[in-house]
Amino acid sequence: MKNTPAAGGGGGNFGSRDLLATTGDYLRLWSVSPDDDKGGPESGMLKSKKEAMLNNNNKSDYCSPLTSFDWNEYDPSIIGTSSIDTTCTIWDINTQQAKTQLIAHEREVFDIAFSAGTDVFATVGADGSVRMFDQRNLEHSTIIYETPNLEPLLRLEWNKQDHNYLATFKVDSLTTTILDIRVPSMPVTELGGHHNPINAVAWAPHSSCHICTAGDDSQALIWDLTQMSKRSVEDPILAYNAEAEVNNLQWSSSQPDWVSIAFANKLQILRV
């Protein structure tokens, strides 16, 4: 689940309403507003309303589950989704139509992330590759990286400040791989520090050289990558031990001093 990346709601056909998107069987859009029946804005209580369910396969009663999605930060009318059926779909939520659908990998696609602008995005999947696409020329894609034994790659995050860099990690991996798209196939560095598999990674929204990783060892680690081109990065600069396995994390773009982590049935907000 993610909220609209641009301030002021979704824009377009959705006006100034605050939107949330979720994926599972389909991509769904929800509007969120103060619940006037429970005290209005002062109460802090919200109500949700489903605005749309986007489906690009109306000819079948069955669907291929969606594994992830990314909301474009430069044009919040654009959402990209990835699926187990090897495809990625770029949606226009104003028209509720697919702009593009393409076969992105040879096996399941596990994640998708937009770069700067609206055209370039990257994907990872069960075939062990990181692939980069440009919507202006979808006849070709660039394989940025492949794992040595084609082990599946689970997640992908694009550096918010320097879009030459990507972070990804394998399924059940203890390390996070940092890639430079200008030097395909060769990782810049690998971040260890975890004793159990990694579940999430997030770049700092305000810095090109800081990144947070979290995993099943109940740790959230923040790394300084300033010197990664000159030497390997051995240790994190900050570490936090949660009460249970950390399943996900987000680094706030509007309040970059705060990182949120999810574990067990809790959400914690941490000050960096």
Side-chain angles (χ1 to χ4, degrees):
M1 179 177 70
K2 297 178 183 178
N3 66 319
T4 323
N13 294 344
F14 295 100
S16 60
R17 283 172 288 178
D18 289 326
L19 296 179
L20 293 174
T22 59
T23 51
D25 49 356
Y26 300 106
L27 171 63
R28 290 178 169 85
L29 299 175
W30 311 79
S31 62
V32 181
S33 60
D35 192 338
D36 294 333
D37 295 332
K38 296 183 179 179
E42 292 77 15
S43 69
M45 301 297 292
L46 300 174
K47 62 180 179 180
S48 62
K49 175 186 176 184
K50 187 172 77 173
E51 297 286 350
M53 184 184 78
L54 281 61
N55 176 18
N56 200 37
N57 186 15
N58 296 317
K59 297 180 180 179
S60 173
D61 293 332
Y62 303 96
C63 66
S64 297
L66 302 176
T67 53
S68 187
F69 73 98
D70 192 30
W71 209 322
N72 190 284
E73 294 185 0
Y74 295 83
D75 183 351
S77 70
I78 298 174
I79 292 179
T81 59
S82 56
S83 173
I84 66 168
D85 66 0
T86 75
T87 68
C88 288
T89 305
I90 307 300
W91 296 92
D92 183 332
I93 66 171
N94 287 333
T95 63
Q96 299 180 27
Q97 299 293 320
K99 297 178 62 177
T100 279
Q101 186 174 58
L102 68 150
I103 296 175
H105 287 257
E106 297 169 10
R107 296 176 60 192
E108 300 97 320
V109 189
F110 289 147
D111 204 6
I112 180 172
F114 284 103
S115 180
T118 59
D119 294 312
V120 178
F121 62 93
T123 59
V124 293
D127 60 6
S129 67
V130 180
R131 304 191 182 201
M132 188 168 65
F133 299 86
D134 190 327
Q135 293 188 77
R136 295 163 294 190
N137 183 14
L138 288 173
E139 295 180 1
H140 304 284
S141 65
T142 302
I143 297 179
I144 300 298
Y145 174 72
E146 289 183 314
T147 53
N149 297 310
L150 300 182
E151 303 102 320
L153 289 166
L154 186 60
R155 288 288 176 259
L156 167 75
E157 283 287 329
W158 218 304
N159 190 309
K160 305 296 184 184
Q161 295 293 322
D162 186 343
H163 288 85
N164 290 314
Y165 292 101
L166 297 166
T168 185
F169 57 87
K170 296 180 290 187
V171 174
D172 295 330
S173 175
L174 306 185
T175 60
T176 300
T177 301
I178 307 298
L179 304 171
D180 185 339
I181 65 173
R182 298 166 298 186
V183 189
S185 304
M186 184 67 66
V188 180
T189 192
E190 291 195 336
L191 309 176
H194 289 279
H195 309 297
N196 288 312
I198 297 168
N199 293 323
V201 59
W203 290 93
H206 62 302
S207 168
S208 63
C209 56
H210 291 91
I211 191 170
C212 184
T213 61
D216 280 350
D217 58 358
S218 306
Q219 289 194 105
L221 307 177
I222 292 181
W223 305 81
D224 184 350
L225 307 184
T226 305
Q227 301 296 321
M228 68 178 175
S229 62
K230 300 178 181 179
R231 56 179 174 81
S232 60
V233 182
E234 300 291 343
D235 298 304
I237 57 172
L238 291 172
Y240 177 79
N241 289 303
E243 299 170 15
E245 297 91 341
V246 181
N247 300 312
N248 207 349
L249 73 93
Q250 287 288 324
W251 202 320
S252 174
S253 57
S254 59
Q255 301 288 335
D257 288 340
W258 300 93
V259 172
S260 62
I261 60 172
F263 57 90
N265 61 348
K266 295 181 179 180
L267 173 70
Q268 277 191 345
I269 311 297
L270 309 175
R271 189 176 183 90
V272 177

